Amino acid sequence: TNIVKEIVETERAYSQQIQVLIFVFKAKLTFELMLSPRAIGTLFSNIESIYNAGLLFLADIEKEKGLPIEQQRFGEKFLQHFHYFQLY
């Protein structure tokens, strides 16, 4: 359905944006501008945990999307990954 497609696309885009934060901005601030570990921690606190949890959630909902519609259980996937949403 369109709603499922939108959820998957939004989560995919969000994961890509978090990836840029980690591998471009955080890396540049850490290795080129030599910000202190404390400053990096303050700016990016649990960004890797959010990124990794998001990738797991994305993989699950993409797999679910590939099932026949009568077998799709997106609500269960949201409940299984509820702890991920608490990282915020």
Side-chain angles (χ1 to χ4, degrees):
T1 69
N2 287 337
I3 294 170
V4 170
K5 181 181 174 186
E6 182 68 27
I7 291 169
V8 171
E9 288 176 1
T10 299
E11 192 63 30
R12 186 179 300 120
Y14 178 71
S15 293
Q16 291 169 345
Q17 292 167 352
I18 297 294
Q19 185 178 26
V20 169
L21 279 174
I22 294 169
F23 296 106
V24 176
F25 292 102
K26 183 179 178 190
K28 185 173 186 81
L29 291 171
T30 301
F31 301 111
E32 292 180 29
L33 298 178
M34 305 291 199
L35 256 61
S36 71
R38 183 174 181 190
I40 294 296
T42 299
L43 290 170
F44 297 100
S45 61
N46 62 346
I47 196 76
E48 282 94 356
S49 296
I50 292 170
Y51 177 68
N52 291 326
L55 289 179
L56 292 173
F57 178 63
L58 177 60
D60 272 0
I61 61 174
E62 284 180 326
K63 187 180 346 175
E64 202 71 18
K65 183 181 176 213
L67 295 173
I69 196 161
E70 63 275 358
Q71 294 177 8
Q72 294 176 357
R73 303 288 183 263
F74 283 96
E76 290 177 16
K77 296 303 172 190
F78 277 91
L79 291 175
Q80 288 172 355
H81 291 273
F82 180 73
H83 62 279
Y84 154 65
F85 300 113
Q86 293 177 329
L87 288 171
Y88 298 91

